[in-house]
Amino acid sequence: MTALPELTTDLYLAGSWTRGGAGTFTTVDPSTGKELAEIAAASAADVDTAVAAATGALRGSWAAVPPSGKGALLHKLADLVERDTEILAALESYDMGGLYGLGTMMFVPNLVASLRYYAGWADKINGETLPTDGYLGRPTFAYTRREPVGVVAAIVPWNAPSMILGWKLAPALATGNTVIVKPAEDASLSILHLGRLIDEAGFPPGTVQILPGLGQVTGEALATHRGVHKVSFTGSTEVGRRILANSATDFKRTTLELGGKSPQIVFADADLDRAVSGVAMGLFTNSGQVCAAGTRVLAHRSVYDAVVDGLAAAAAAQVVGNPFDSATTMGPLVNRDQRDRVLGYVEKGVAEGARLVAGGGARADGPGFFVRPTVFAGTNDQVIAQEEIFGPVGVVIPFDNDAEAVALANDNAYGLAATLWTRDLARAHTTAAEVHAGAVAINGWSPLGPQLPWGGVKASGTGRELGYEGILANTEAKTVTVVL
Ligand code: NAD
């Protein structure tokens, strides 16, 4: 068991640590159900202060740091995050129940990778020179500048807090924006520690600020603030819709990374062992609290029984328990409501006639918000196959041919990701083109990296983060034309 690290529970506002104007809120350790910390909550007035500081840094101290200096600061921050990997991972395990091993091996290294990737971009943000037909008989010289969008609000969910913040923070800073971060109520602690590292790295005050607080208060004040130019939001489709509607008032830029109900298609020619273990990974990683979780498993009828049996065995083999124990493969769900919501879906699945082949209830012993890994054999029209559950629950659905597989994959409100399991190259690429999703993976569930653009279609959101798309999403193109 890793000891609880020192906790940072104040706001990081205009370069100082301060209590918030909206009192405090409580965060709970989901493995024990016990209170972990009281965290300062930012008020609308704190948001005003933050926006003023961010605007000042945007035009002043941060703008004055040259591009290579911005890159150097991002590298410095990456070094500090690397140094504190174990602290950041432990804070996330205590706060939201994710596996400590997943934190040290994936979540925190992914944050480091994003910081380093965009550190490299900082002095490579080019505009273009544009040939024209001239103007009133005179030649022109025309070019574009890529300018920062301005003050960016980064609103983050609880399921992979530091990793997802990295997808927003690193490209926004590399392109010269200032950032106000709103962590999720259930996972503020690692992000507040990151604030300490941002301070230590020496970013000018106001360049990055961290305002924990309630979504309806702090998040709403940020997302509707006239001084905020862009909202980069990752979270539920419901809140994303509200942010998009609010953004119409002043045409804020938005990047919305929302929910998912992603298909994993197992074709008849798949390497079945590899497919079943990969599909299981897509169901149970982070206790299924993953936007890209591959929760609709479409299996060709010739391999359907083998896939169902394989996933039932994989579910039974999961070790549910303490996230710090290296033998554990699944920790708790983030909070009591989430556990009850997931169990409600399991009951719904049984009630609508899906066949329960593994799991199906809360872990019997001990405190904490544990759910057993659950697999249903069902159909695509069932509620458990249509709605995002955000827990370790999968439904296996049969199909008879490729066209039906694609039709089933696309018969859902969401379109975040899809995984294809096949050894047939033509089938793989044809299906990848036909599936409605922001990202398709072939023979591996959800590979991630800062080079790979990420985002969804349909109810999974709009816009992309990461890769060069992340540069475009954080800059405005300004056209300058000189009539010679
Ligand atoms: P959520 O929408 O409840 O909260 C996300 C963030 O928004 C939190 O910080 C919350 O405080 C804030 N918020 C709440 N109400 C707000 C408001 N009115 N205005 C502004 N901000 C507000 O989501 P969650 O429960 O924290 O996260 C789970 C969801 O996130 C799932 O649907 C999951 O699929 C999605 N998610 C998507 C991706 C992706 O990349 N597409 C990644 C991770 C999670």
Side-chain angles (χ1 to χ4, degrees), residues 122-136:
D123 59 0
K124 299 170 192 69
I125 314 293
N126 300 328
E128 294 175 310
T129 54
L130 307 164
T132 75
D133 288 349
Y135 175 80
L136 297 178

mmCIF file with all atom_site columns, all heavy atoms in Angstrom, residues 122-136:
data_model
loop_
_atom_site.group_PDB
_atom_site.id
_atom_site.type_symbol
_atom_site.label_atom_id
_atom_site.label_alt_id
_atom_site.label_comp_id
_atom_site.label_asym_id
_atom_site.label_entity_id
_atom_site.label_seq_id
_atom_site.pdbx_PDB_ins_code
_atom_site.Cartn_x
_atom_site.Cartn_y
_atom_site.Cartn_z
_atom_site.occupancy
_atom_site.B_iso_or_equiv
_atom_site.pdbx_formal_charge
_atom_site.auth_seq_id
_atom_site.auth_comp_id
_atom_site.auth_asym_id
_atom_site.auth_atom_id
_atom_site.pdbx_PDB_model_num
ATOM 1   N N   . ALA A 1 122 ? 6.246   23.832 -30.080 1.00 0.00 ? 122 ALA A N   1
ATOM 2   C CA  . ALA A 1 122 ? 6.098   25.234 -29.660 1.00 0.00 ? 122 ALA A CA  1
ATOM 3   C C   . ALA A 1 122 ? 6.771   26.217 -30.617 1.00 0.00 ? 122 ALA A C   1
ATOM 4   O O   . ALA A 1 122 ? 6.269   27.312 -30.839 1.00 0.00 ? 122 ALA A O   1
ATOM 5   C CB  . ALA A 1 122 ? 6.628   25.405 -28.238 1.00 0.00 ? 122 ALA A CB  1
ATOM 6   N N   . ASP A 1 123 ? 7.912   25.853 -31.193 1.00 0.00 ? 123 ASP A N   1
ATOM 7   C CA  . ASP A 1 123 ? 8.582   26.783 -32.114 1.00 0.00 ? 123 ASP A CA  1
ATOM 8   C C   . ASP A 1 123 ? 8.431   26.341 -33.578 1.00 0.00 ? 123 ASP A C   1
ATOM 9   O O   . ASP A 1 123 ? 9.261   26.654 -34.423 1.00 0.00 ? 123 ASP A O   1
ATOM 10  C CB  . ASP A 1 123 ? 10.055  26.980 -31.727 1.00 0.00 ? 123 ASP A CB  1
ATOM 11  C CG  . ASP A 1 123 ? 10.843  25.674 -31.727 1.00 0.00 ? 123 ASP A CG  1
ATOM 12  O OD1 . ASP A 1 123 ? 10.244  24.613 -32.027 1.00 0.00 ? 123 ASP A OD1 1
ATOM 13  O OD2 . ASP A 1 123 ? 12.046  25.715 -31.420 1.00 0.00 ? 123 ASP A OD2 1
ATOM 14  N N   . LYS A 1 124 ? 7.331   25.621 -33.841 1.00 0.00 ? 124 LYS A N   1
ATOM 15  C CA  . LYS A 1 124 ? 7.088   25.163 -35.228 1.00 0.00 ? 124 LYS A CA  1
ATOM 16  C C   . LYS A 1 124 ? 5.658   25.450 -35.656 1.00 0.00 ? 124 LYS A C   1
ATOM 17  O O   . LYS A 1 124 ? 5.084   24.724 -36.469 1.00 0.00 ? 124 LYS A O   1
ATOM 18  C CB  . LYS A 1 124 ? 7.382   23.662 -35.343 1.00 0.00 ? 124 LYS A CB  1
ATOM 19  C CG  . LYS A 1 124 ? 8.833   23.333 -35.002 1.00 0.00 ? 124 LYS A CG  1
ATOM 20  C CD  . LYS A 1 124 ? 9.108   21.869 -34.877 1.00 0.00 ? 124 LYS A CD  1
ATOM 21  C CE  . LYS A 1 124 ? 10.462  21.618 -34.254 1.00 0.00 ? 124 LYS A CE  1
ATOM 22  N NZ  . LYS A 1 124 ? 10.573  21.998 -32.825 1.00 0.00 ? 124 LYS A NZ  1
ATOM 23  N N   . ILE A 1 125 ? 5.082   26.511 -35.121 1.00 0.00 ? 125 ILE A N   1
ATOM 24  C CA  . ILE A 1 125 ? 3.694   26.860 -35.476 1.00 0.00 ? 125 ILE A CA  1
ATOM 25  C C   . ILE A 1 125 ? 3.744   27.825 -36.657 1.00 0.00 ? 125 ILE A C   1
ATOM 26  O O   . ILE A 1 125 ? 3.881   29.035 -36.489 1.00 0.00 ? 125 ILE A O   1
ATOM 27  C CB  . ILE A 1 125 ? 2.959   27.524 -34.281 1.00 0.00 ? 125 ILE A CB  1
ATOM 28  C CG1 . ILE A 1 125 ? 3.198   26.747 -32.975 1.00 0.00 ? 125 ILE A CG1 1
ATOM 29  C CG2 . ILE A 1 125 ? 1.473   27.676 -34.580 1.00 0.00 ? 125 ILE A CG2 1
ATOM 30  C CD1 . ILE A 1 125 ? 2.599   25.387 -32.920 1.00 0.00 ? 125 ILE A CD1 1
ATOM 31  N N   . ASN A 1 126 ? 3.663   27.283 -37.852 1.00 0.00 ? 126 ASN A N   1
ATOM 32  C CA  . ASN A 1 126 ? 3.831   28.095 -39.062 1.00 0.00 ? 126 ASN A CA  1
ATOM 33  C C   . ASN A 1 126 ? 2.501   28.514 -39.664 1.00 0.00 ? 126 ASN A C   1
ATOM 34  O O   . ASN A 1 126 ? 1.548   27.743 -39.659 1.00 0.00 ? 126 ASN A O   1
ATOM 35  C CB  . ASN A 1 126 ? 4.536   27.287 -40.157 1.00 0.00 ? 126 ASN A CB  1
ATOM 36  C CG  . ASN A 1 126 ? 5.904   26.817 -39.739 1.00 0.00 ? 126 ASN A CG  1
ATOM 37  O OD1 . ASN A 1 126 ? 6.591   27.488 -38.980 1.00 0.00 ? 126 ASN A OD1 1
ATOM 38  N ND2 . ASN A 1 126 ? 6.284   25.649 -40.226 1.00 0.00 ? 126 ASN A ND2 1
ATOM 39  N N   . GLY A 1 127 ? 2.473   29.712 -40.242 1.00 0.00 ? 127 GLY A N   1
ATOM 40  C CA  . GLY A 1 127 ? 1.389   30.064 -41.152 1.00 0.00 ? 127 GLY A CA  1
ATOM 41  C C   . GLY A 1 127 ? 1.794   29.635 -42.563 1.00 0.00 ? 127 GLY A C   1
ATOM 42  O O   . GLY A 1 127 ? 2.739   28.864 -42.758 1.00 0.00 ? 127 GLY A O   1
ATOM 43  N N   . GLU A 1 128 ? 1.052   30.172 -43.556 1.00 0.00 ? 128 GLU A N   1
ATOM 44  C CA  . GLU A 1 128 ? 1.347   29.822 -44.955 1.00 0.00 ? 128 GLU A CA  1
ATOM 45  C C   . GLU A 1 128 ? 1.450   31.094 -45.783 1.00 0.00 ? 128 GLU A C   1
ATOM 46  O O   . GLU A 1 128 ? 0.831   32.097 -45.444 1.00 0.00 ? 128 GLU A O   1
ATOM 47  C CB  . GLU A 1 128 ? 0.190   28.990 -45.537 1.00 0.00 ? 128 GLU A CB  1
ATOM 48  C CG  . GLU A 1 128 ? 0.028   27.635 -44.895 1.00 0.00 ? 128 GLU A CG  1
ATOM 49  C CD  . GLU A 1 128 ? -1.209  26.919 -45.428 1.00 0.00 ? 128 GLU A CD  1
ATOM 50  O OE1 . GLU A 1 128 ? -2.292  27.535 -45.450 1.00 0.00 ? 128 GLU A OE1 1
ATOM 51  O OE2 . GLU A 1 128 ? -1.078  25.768 -45.841 1.00 0.00 ? 128 GLU A OE2 1
ATOM 52  N N   . THR A 1 129 ? 2.182   31.036 -46.880 1.00 0.00 ? 129 THR A N   1
ATOM 53  C CA  . THR A 1 129 ? 2.077   32.124 -47.852 1.00 0.00 ? 129 THR A CA  1
ATOM 54  C C   . THR A 1 129 ? 1.134   31.646 -48.950 1.00 0.00 ? 129 THR A C   1
ATOM 55  O O   . THR A 1 129 ? 1.148   30.466 -49.325 1.00 0.00 ? 129 THR A O   1
ATOM 56  C CB  . THR A 1 129 ? 3.442   32.494 -48.460 1.00 0.00 ? 129 THR A CB  1
ATOM 57  O OG1 . THR A 1 129 ? 4.044   31.327 -48.990 1.00 0.00 ? 129 THR A OG1 1
ATOM 58  C CG2 . THR A 1 129 ? 4.361   33.113 -47.427 1.00 0.00 ? 129 THR A CG2 1
ATOM 59  N N   . LEU A 1 130 ? 0.285   32.593 -49.450 1.00 0.00 ? 130 LEU A N   1
ATOM 60  C CA  . LEU A 1 130 ? -0.829  32.185 -50.299 1.00 0.00 ? 130 LEU A CA  1
ATOM 61  C C   . LEU A 1 130 ? -0.765  32.894 -51.647 1.00 0.00 ? 130 LEU A C   1
ATOM 62  O O   . LEU A 1 130 ? -0.801  34.129 -51.706 1.00 0.00 ? 130 LEU A O   1
ATOM 63  C CB  . LEU A 1 130 ? -2.146  32.548 -49.604 1.00 0.00 ? 130 LEU A CB  1
ATOM 64  C CG  . LEU A 1 130 ? -2.270  32.008 -48.159 1.00 0.00 ? 130 LEU A CG  1
ATOM 65  C CD1 . LEU A 1 130 ? -3.383  32.710 -47.413 1.00 0.00 ? 130 LEU A CD1 1
ATOM 66  C CD2 . LEU A 1 130 ? -2.517  30.514 -48.178 1.00 0.00 ? 130 LEU A CD2 1
ATOM 67  N N   . PRO A 1 131 ? -0.674  32.138 -52.726 1.00 0.00 ? 131 PRO A N   1
ATOM 68  C CA  . PRO A 1 131 ? -0.707  32.767 -54.046 1.00 0.00 ? 131 PRO A CA  1
ATOM 69  C C   . PRO A 1 131 ? -2.121  33.278 -54.334 1.00 0.00 ? 131 PRO A C   1
ATOM 70  O O   . PRO A 1 131 ? -3.092  32.619 -53.992 1.00 0.00 ? 131 PRO A O   1
ATOM 71  C CB  . PRO A 1 131 ? -0.338  31.619 -54.993 1.00 0.00 ? 131 PRO A CB  1
ATOM 72  C CG  . PRO A 1 131 ? -0.664  30.370 -54.255 1.00 0.00 ? 131 PRO A CG  1
ATOM 73  C CD  . PRO A 1 131 ? -0.597  30.674 -52.794 1.00 0.00 ? 131 PRO A CD  1
ATOM 74  N N   . THR A 1 132 ? -2.240  34.474 -54.921 1.00 0.00 ? 132 THR A N   1
ATOM 75  C CA  . THR A 1 132 ? -3.564  34.990 -55.294 1.00 0.00 ? 132 THR A CA  1
ATOM 76  C C   . THR A 1 132 ? -3.511  35.484 -56.746 1.00 0.00 ? 132 THR A C   1
ATOM 77  O O   . THR A 1 132 ? -2.432  35.561 -57.354 1.00 0.00 ? 132 THR A O   1
ATOM 78  C CB  . THR A 1 132 ? -3.998  36.186 -54.416 1.00 0.00 ? 132 THR A CB  1
ATOM 79  O OG1 . THR A 1 132 ? -3.264  37.341 -54.831 1.00 0.00 ? 132 THR A OG1 1
ATOM 80  C CG2 . THR A 1 132 ? -3.757  35.930 -52.945 1.00 0.00 ? 132 THR A CG2 1
ATOM 81  N N   . ASP A 1 133 ? -4.677  35.882 -57.285 1.00 0.00 ? 133 ASP A N   1
ATOM 82  C CA  . ASP A 1 133 ? -4.738  36.444 -58.636 1.00 0.00 ? 133 ASP A CA  1
ATOM 83  C C   . ASP A 1 133 ? -4.484  37.944 -58.624 1.00 0.00 ? 133 ASP A C   1
ATOM 84  O O   . ASP A 1 133 ? -4.670  38.629 -59.629 1.00 0.00 ? 133 ASP A O   1
ATOM 85  C CB  . ASP A 1 133 ? -6.117  36.173 -59.269 1.00 0.00 ? 133 ASP A CB  1
ATOM 86  C CG  . ASP A 1 133 ? -6.280  34.707 -59.634 1.00 0.00 ? 133 ASP A CG  1
ATOM 87  O OD1 . ASP A 1 133 ? -5.259  33.982 -59.589 1.00 0.00 ? 133 ASP A OD1 1
ATOM 88  O OD2 . ASP A 1 133 ? -7.401  34.294 -59.934 1.00 0.00 ? 133 ASP A OD2 1
ATOM 89  N N   . GLY A 1 134 ? -4.123  38.487 -57.474 1.00 0.00 ? 134 GLY A N   1
ATOM 90  C CA  . GLY A 1 134 ? -3.863  39.921 -57.384 1.00 0.00 ? 134 GLY A CA  1
ATOM 91  C C   . GLY A 1 134 ? -5.103  40.688 -56.996 1.00 0.00 ? 134 GLY A C   1
ATOM 92  O O   . GLY A 1 134 ? -6.195  40.107 -56.811 1.00 0.00 ? 134 GLY A O   1
ATOM 93  N N   . TYR A 1 135 ? -4.933  42.021 -56.877 1.00 0.00 ? 135 TYR A N   1
ATOM 94  C CA  . TYR A 1 135 ? -6.029  42.860 -56.410 1.00 0.00 ? 135 TYR A CA  1
ATOM 95  C C   . TYR A 1 135 ? -6.075  44.125 -57.251 1.00 0.00 ? 135 TYR A C   1
ATOM 96  O O   . TYR A 1 135 ? -5.108  44.902 -57.294 1.00 0.00 ? 135 TYR A O   1
ATOM 97  C CB  . TYR A 1 135 ? -5.794  43.211 -54.934 1.00 0.00 ? 135 TYR A CB  1
ATOM 98  C CG  . TYR A 1 135 ? -6.793  44.164 -54.342 1.00 0.00 ? 135 TYR A CG  1
ATOM 99  C CD1 . TYR A 1 135 ? -8.045  43.715 -53.916 1.00 0.00 ? 135 TYR A CD1 1
ATOM 100 C CD2 . TYR A 1 135 ? -6.500  45.519 -54.219 1.00 0.00 ? 135 TYR A CD2 1
ATOM 101 C CE1 . TYR A 1 135 ? -8.970  44.591 -53.376 1.00 0.00 ? 135 TYR A CE1 1
ATOM 102 C CE2 . TYR A 1 135 ? -7.407  46.399 -53.682 1.00 0.00 ? 135 TYR A CE2 1
ATOM 103 C CZ  . TYR A 1 135 ? -8.645  45.927 -53.260 1.00 0.00 ? 135 TYR A CZ  1
ATOM 104 O OH  . TYR A 1 135 ? -9.546  46.794 -52.718 1.00 0.00 ? 135 TYR A OH  1
ATOM 105 N N   . LEU A 1 136 ? -7.187  44.322 -57.992 1.00 0.00 ? 136 LEU A N   1
ATOM 106 C CA  . LEU A 1 136 ? -7.365  45.493 -58.864 1.00 0.00 ? 136 LEU A CA  1
ATOM 107 C C   . LEU A 1 136 ? -6.128  45.738 -59.735 1.00 0.00 ? 136 LEU A C   1
ATOM 108 O O   . LEU A 1 136 ? -5.613  46.847 -59.836 1.00 0.00 ? 136 LEU A O   1
ATOM 109 C CB  . LEU A 1 136 ? -7.677  46.746 -58.029 1.00 0.00 ? 136 LEU A CB  1
ATOM 110 C CG  . LEU A 1 136 ? -8.992  46.692 -57.217 1.00 0.00 ? 136 LEU A CG  1
ATOM 111 C CD1 . LEU A 1 136 ? -9.168  47.961 -56.398 1.00 0.00 ? 136 LEU A CD1 1
ATOM 112 C CD2 . LEU A 1 136 ? -10.191 46.502 -58.144 1.00 0.00 ? 136 LEU A CD2 1
#
